[in-house]
Amino acid sequence: MKYESIKFLIPLIAVCLSCGADWPQFRGPLTNNVAISETPPAKVDQENIAWTAELEGRGASGPIVVGDKVFITSTTGFKQDQLHVLCFDANSGKRLWERQFWATGRTQCHKKMSVATPTPASDGKRVFATFSSNDVVCLDLDGNLLWIRGLSHDYPNASNSLGMASSPIVVGETLIVPVENDDDSFTTGLDVKTGIARWKINRPRVANWTSPAILQSSPNAEPVVLLQSSEGVDGIYPETGETAWQYEQGAGRIPSTTVGDNILYVPSNGLTALSPGSSSDPPKVLWKEQKLSPGTASPLVYQNNVFTVNRAGVLNCANPQTGDLVWRLRLKGPFSATPIAAANHLYLVNEKGLLQVVQLGTDKGEVTGDIDLKETILATPAIANNSLFIRSDKHLWKISSK
Amino acid sequence: MKRSSFLFCLMFLFSSLMTVWGADDIEQQITQIKQVQKEGQGNLTASQAVQKLSKSNASALIPILSGFKDANPIAVNWLRGAFEAIAANAIKQKTLPTQKLEKFIQDKSQNPRARRLAYETLIKVDPQAADRIIPGMLNDASVTLRRDAVQRLIDEAKSLEKAGKKNQAKKVYQQALTGATDSDQVKAIVKPLRALGDKIDLQKHFGFLSDWMIVGPFDNRDKKGYDTVYSPEDKIDFSSTLEGKEGKVKWKSVNTEDDYGIFDIAKSISPYKGAVMYCVADFYSPQEQSLEIRLGTPNAWKIWVNGKLLFARNEYHRGMVVDQYSVPVKFKPGKNVILLKLCQNEQTDSWAQRYQFQLRIARPSGIGVLSQKAEATTQLSP
């Protein structure tokens, strides 16, 4: 392995190790929707609600968990131009601190969306919060401001009148922030310590609400960040922004690519499975399956199966090597939040606030419990502390074993 | 002098010097933070300064708020970060300088956002302060303080209306309207006011330009017209006949009576597809002034003022709302010519058929500004 590769890998491993059982960004530590060693309750009812914290304003961003702290974002104001970053005690639900900033970019978005749609990210020492206004805030875990950027302030045509939704991810010392839209479209890699751009690359000029994923094809391989757009998927090196390879057969602009067992599952032509080659070779198409086309929620790979939820609220379970359907289960939808997995169960929360827990079997899935939280929920939950953390506009809940 | 008195004087001198040094240090850090510029320039220095500043005691709060003056929007956020960290500690330690904060809020020479931040901090420890402060903010430069003042009047008017006191309610609604610029509040006022018999010129209230000269269509097939320079971009001559997409075209005078100044090209002229239209309006300013052009449109657009390109946006059919785009502009005294290029694409989806715009002139606070010449062609009434 080249020195450059080793140099890069060390911080990534360090971040993963420091995350431990944390849920430090959208879709978890490995951006694949799966908790590594956590065991949230397998059967849930109202008695599993450990605590409820009140929120104000709007927010479709998911919570993240670092140690004993839960971080979320929200917005207030008629124009959603007051940007909030909040921190709660994971054990008690007590609000530990809150910081506010003013949007410096446009805050117009679709009424279903929120300016606080991107889920924050953390490297274990810092919290990075981004908003639809393309403001990027970096705080330490105690709420002290480390730096702030206004990407639409810098590039005034970087915006989307329906709202920006892509969540940032941290890889090593780089925060990857997608700002992909119909006009000044780009993705940038910011130095986590200063907020100054390490790189900025032009991206297809089409509105894009997908979030990046990380491909670590082997323990020794250089990680590649997957940027999805209507044109396909680009693998880029997170430290330089240089392109490693491109898949150019088109892809969706809402559900995001998921990596599982070293295969990419791309919302493209239904669902397309790609097998990555070496770090610079383009991946090969393993299969394409229209029947597995995901709705808004991203695909999930767990326990040797690939799962998608379609627009009708049907959970599809398929063979990840062939795309053949194994079983289907009709759930109560619709879903905006991506399903997450732990301890042989899937956790799915629909837009009406109904959390459904699905126990996985070899030939079928079975709903083992649900909780009706009775509020609109669009955000993907987090799993940490053997619990689920779920947010609506009005509340943040911790769901634990009794 | 007794030894104890000497020691006391020494201590007083020392503490005074510490205060001076501390104040200087705070000012220095604020100055460093205000050096932050676009693309992260100055971040490193500002980051060190904000971390130092955040550890200050409550005496730094007012200097930080005062520092908002002349700070760019990014620096304002940096300052807010330090302010909130200090204020959170001061609230815990019960050292928040409430009287100084209230005095700062009332000082209208200060930055409107700084005053709002002072207000939000104050009411955390003194919720009754809202009753003292907000009623006087109806025409304030702070958008949000003004919004709160308007809301109180709307609530009061509703109560009066409910109690059958229609004349009193009408007066309160009329008062509320003088400060209202957010469309939800304006709607909440205008609907009952009109029901109570009031005639309201909303175009005038918002400062919408309603009378335009328009010419087109020019070719925008494959969206190529956005970057194509057609004749009106070189010279505006209302008497000229131009070569358009579908033959010869001439300038014509159009206007809208829509409350929110929406001029619907698709409905009033033609539902052109793959087309460019040019629209011209004049704005008369009594003096040089910095204002904002506020545009709403679902179509791609470019705007020139007095022949200079102000902003351009190549986005189609992602929605349209009042004040969708706010573009800063410096008007010269007298006549200013606004040229709008509006591009429609060729999408066939039902939701992609809108070809329209609404444009108003406003202060940064959102208050509408009217053209100042009685014979101006751009307002319904002088």
Side-chain angles (χ1 to χ4, degrees):
Chain A
M1 187 164 53
K2 291 184 295 186
Y3 166 74
E4 284 301 313
S5 304
I6 299 169
K7 190 179 81 175
F8 188 87
L9 197 57
I10 290 168
L12 181 77
I13 294 167
V15 167
C16 286
L17 288 174
S18 69
C19 291
D22 294 345
W23 190 272
Q25 58 200 353
F26 181 54
R27 302 194 295 161
L30 301 174
T31 64
N32 65 351
N33 325 339
V34 176
I36 300 165
S37 59
E38 302 295 298
T39 54
K43 294 182 180 179
V44 294
D45 57 33
Q46 291 289 334
E47 290 183 18
N48 291 109
I49 298 174
W51 52 255
T52 307
E54 287 193 9
L55 304 174
E56 60 174 331
R58 298 282 318 279
S61 54
I64 63 167
V65 184
V66 182
D68 286 337
K69 290 179 175 174
V70 187
F71 301 91
I72 61 161
T73 59
S74 67
T75 59
T76 55
F78 171 62
K79 292 185 176 173
Q80 288 192 63
D81 56 357
Q82 286 192 254
L83 316 176
H84 301 239
V85 184
L86 301 105
C87 175
F88 294 85
D89 181 344
N91 297 313
S92 67
K94 183 187 171 194
R95 183 180 298 193
L96 298 176
W97 54 258
E98 177 184 5
R99 296 288 180 267
Q100 286 186 48
F101 302 91
W102 285 289
T104 62
R106 296 175 62 219
T107 55
Q108 186 193 336
C109 62
H110 189 275
K111 62 184 177 186
K112 187 176 175 182
M113 282 251 290
S114 161
V115 173
T117 294
T119 295
S122 175
D123 61 358
K125 291 180 282 187
R126 309 170 183 87
V127 176
F128 309 96
T130 67
F131 297 85
S132 178
S133 57
N134 296 318
D135 290 291
V136 187
V137 177
C138 174
L139 301 158
D140 70 18
L141 302 187
D142 295 322
N144 295 304
L145 180 65
L146 299 179
W147 53 261
I148 185 165
R149 290 286 307 275
L151 298 177
S152 281
H153 179 261
D154 296 352
Y155 311 102
N157 246 331
S159 72
N160 179 340
S161 293
L162 291 176
M164 309 287 290
S166 305
S167 299
I169 59 169
V170 191
V171 183
E173 296 283 301
T174 309
L175 176 73
I176 289 121
V177 187
V179 191
E180 304 192 6
N181 63 93
D182 288 342
D183 204 318
D184 190 356
S185 187
F186 62 88
T187 287
T188 185
L190 305 180
D191 184 325
V192 294
K193 289 178 185 159
T194 64
I196 297 167
R198 291 166 179 266
W199 50 264
K200 176 174 174 274
I201 54 173
N202 292 330
R203 294 286 295 155
R205 290 171 64 162
V206 183
N208 181 5
W209 297 277
T210 66
S211 295
I214 302 168
L215 170 66
Q216 178 85 52
S217 56
S218 71
N220 294 329
E222 193 166 350
V224 169
V225 169
L226 308 173
L227 298 180
Q228 181 185 323
S229 72
S230 58
E231 293 181 6
V233 177
D234 290 355
I236 60 152
Y237 296 115
E239 199 172 17
T240 61
E242 289 170 2
T243 303
W245 48 257
Q246 291 178 302
Y247 162 77
E248 296 175 299
Q249 294 180 40
R253 293 180 292 147
I254 296 177
S256 307
T257 296
T258 304
V259 180
D261 298 329
N262 209 22
I263 294 174
L264 281 64
Y265 297 91
V266 184
S268 167
N269 301 299
L271 191 70
T272 297
L274 302 176
S275 174
S278 67
S279 64
S280 59
D281 290 336
K284 291 174 186 162
V285 175
L286 290 179
W287 51 261
K288 296 179 181 180
E289 180 51 70
Q290 275 296 343
K291 288 177 188 168
L292 295 178
S293 182
T296 301
S298 301
L300 164 69
V301 185
Y302 186 56
Q303 293 191 346
N304 299 316
N305 284 308
V306 58
F307 299 91
T308 59
V309 183
N310 67 20
R311 292 189 190 284
V314 173
L315 175 66
N316 295 306
C317 173
N319 182 319
Q321 299 297 326
T322 63
D324 294 339
L325 199 64
V326 179
W327 52 260
R328 307 184 91 183
L329 178 65
R330 181 170 288 280
L331 297 171
K332 292 172 185 167
F335 294 93
S336 273
T338 286
I340 53 176
N344 198 41
H345 288 79
L346 301 189
Y347 299 85
L348 302 101
V349 59
N350 73 14
E351 291 183 4
K352 294 171 186 169
L354 182 70
L355 169 66
Q356 297 159 87
V357 182
V358 175
Q359 184 173 355
L360 302 177
T362 50
D363 57 354
K364 68 170 186 176
E366 187 185 357
V367 176
T368 57
D370 60 38
I371 304 177
D372 190 356
L373 297 169
K374 295 180 179 173
E375 288 177 21
T376 300
I377 296 178
L378 305 176
T380 297
I383 298 176
N385 294 358
N386 296 322
S387 306
L388 294 163
F389 295 87
I390 303 174
R391 74 85 54 89
S392 68
D393 284 345
K394 293 177 183 169
H395 294 100
L396 173 66
W397 293 271
K398 181 181 181 182
I399 314 286
S400 294
S401 295
K402 294 171 195 172
Chain B
M1 188 188 286
K2 284 182 187 173
R3 191 180 168 198
S4 58
S5 301
F6 175 74
L7 279 173
F8 178 79
C9 288
L10 199 64
M11 281 172 65
F12 178 77
L13 186 66
F14 181 73
S15 66
S16 300
L17 279 173
M18 284 299 287
T19 305
V20 172
W21 291 338
D24 281 352
D25 209 25
I26 286 163
E27 289 301 335
Q28 191 185 357
Q29 284 147 8
I30 291 169
T31 303
Q32 283 177 345
I33 289 169
K34 287 170 77 172
Q35 304 301 314
V36 162
Q37 297 296 324
K38 288 186 174 180
E39 299 185 341
Q41 291 176 60
N43 267 24
L44 210 55
T45 309
S47 185
Q48 290 163 355
V50 84
Q51 286 175 69
K52 278 185 198 167
L53 192 56
S54 298
K55 288 174 186 152
S56 304
N57 63 26
S59 66
L61 290 172
I62 300 297
I64 291 173
L65 291 173
S66 303
F68 278 40
K69 259 187 187 173
D70 307 322
N72 68 50
I74 303 295
V76 159
N77 266 336
W78 282 82
L79 291 172
R80 179 169 189 153
F83 179 91
E84 288 197 327
I86 298 165
N89 278 335
I91 290 170
K92 271 185 206 165
Q93 293 161 7
K94 299 187 176 174
T95 57
L96 196 69
T98 52
Q99 287 182 343
K100 285 181 181 173
L101 283 173
E102 188 155 348
K103 194 177 166 195
F104 186 89
I105 297 161
Q106 300 292 359
D107 181 356
K108 299 200 175 186
S109 71
Q110 296 290 350
N111 178 290
R113 284 197 153 162
R115 291 170 53 232
R116 176 70 193 193
L117 178 55
Y119 169 73
E120 287 174 2
T121 308
L122 176 64
I123 59 172
K124 283 179 185 170
V125 298
D126 181 9
Q128 281 74 37
D131 294 334
R132 297 195 298 275
I133 294 168
I134 293 301
M137 297 295 173
L138 184 60
N139 297 110
D140 200 82
S142 162
V143 179
T144 44
L145 288 173
R146 199 174 71 232
R147 185 179 166 83
D148 285 359
V150 169
Q151 195 56 51
R152 287 171 83 99
L153 290 173
I154 292 173
D155 294 342
E156 185 187 337
K158 275 183 186 169
S159 299
L160 289 166
E161 210 178 354
K162 208 174 174 182
K165 297 175 181 173
K166 289 187 177 179
N167 283 339
Q168 283 173 268
K170 193 172 168 180
K171 280 180 186 167
V172 178
Y173 276 130
Q174 285 168 337
Q175 192 189 356
L177 187 60
T178 63
T181 50
D182 291 336
S183 56
D184 64 326
Q185 289 190 326
V186 171
K187 281 176 184 165
I189 294 165
V190 167
K191 193 179 174 187
L193 261 186
R194 282 180 172 161
L196 291 166
D198 240 19
K199 286 182 181 172
I200 297 158
D201 186 341
L202 271 187
Q203 286 191 354
K204 199 170 173 181
H205 177 79
F206 279 109
F208 280 111
L209 301 187
S210 55
D211 294 346
W212 293 83
M213 293 294 285
I214 189 165
V215 69
F218 299 92
D219 195 0
N220 191 35
R221 281 172 290 191
D222 297 325
K223 296 192 272 191
K224 286 177 184 167
Y226 181 80
D227 286 324
T228 304
V229 177
Y230 294 110
S231 171
E233 292 181 36
D234 287 331
K235 187 183 178 186
I236 297 169
D237 176 3
F238 295 141
S239 65
S240 61
T241 300
L242 306 172
E243 197 63 48
K245 179 190 172 193
E246 297 168 6
K248 304 283 184 195
V249 290
K250 286 186 168 184
W251 288 93
K252 54 182 157 186
S253 173
V254 294
N255 68 71
T256 173
E257 291 184 359
D258 180 81
D259 266 352
Y260 292 87
I262 295 174
F263 183 73
D264 194 330
I265 293 170
K267 195 175 168 185
S268 304
I269 300 181
S270 173
Y272 293 126
K273 300 300 291 182
V276 171
M277 299 291 286
Y278 288 93
C279 312
V280 172
D282 297 336
F283 181 82
Y284 288 83
S285 178
Q287 71 275 326
E288 183 177 283
Q289 53 181 334
S290 295
L291 298 172
E292 288 181 356
I293 289 181
R294 295 193 172 196
L295 175 73
T297 179
N299 305 100
W301 55 276
K302 292 184 178 183
I303 279 183
W304 294 258
V305 171
N306 300 326
K308 187 181 171 190
L309 182 66
L310 207 62
F311 203 79
R313 174 79 182 158
N314 198 356
E315 180 186 66
Y316 291 89
H317 304 299
R318 304 286 186 207
M320 168 176 162
V321 295
V322 174
D323 296 348
Q324 188 169 356
Y325 305 98
S326 296
V327 185
V329 58
K330 186 174 274 188
F331 286 119
K332 65 181 183 183
K335 178 178 162 181
N336 293 270
V337 179
I338 299 169
L339 171 66
L340 172 67
K341 179 181 189 176
L342 208 64
C343 306
Q344 169 66 304
N345 65 8
E346 297 165 278
Q347 276 182 264
T348 53
D349 317 71
S350 59
W351 45 264
Q353 303 312 304
R354 295 169 80 186
Y355 195 11
Q356 55 191 198
F357 72 96
Q358 53 189 166
L359 189 150
R360 72 187 188 105
I361 310 298
R363 300 194 188 287
S365 65
I367 299 280
V369 180
L370 296 176
S371 187
Q372 288 297 303
K373 193 175 174 185
E375 62 268 34
T377 60
T378 53
Q379 304 291 339
L380 277 182
S381 53

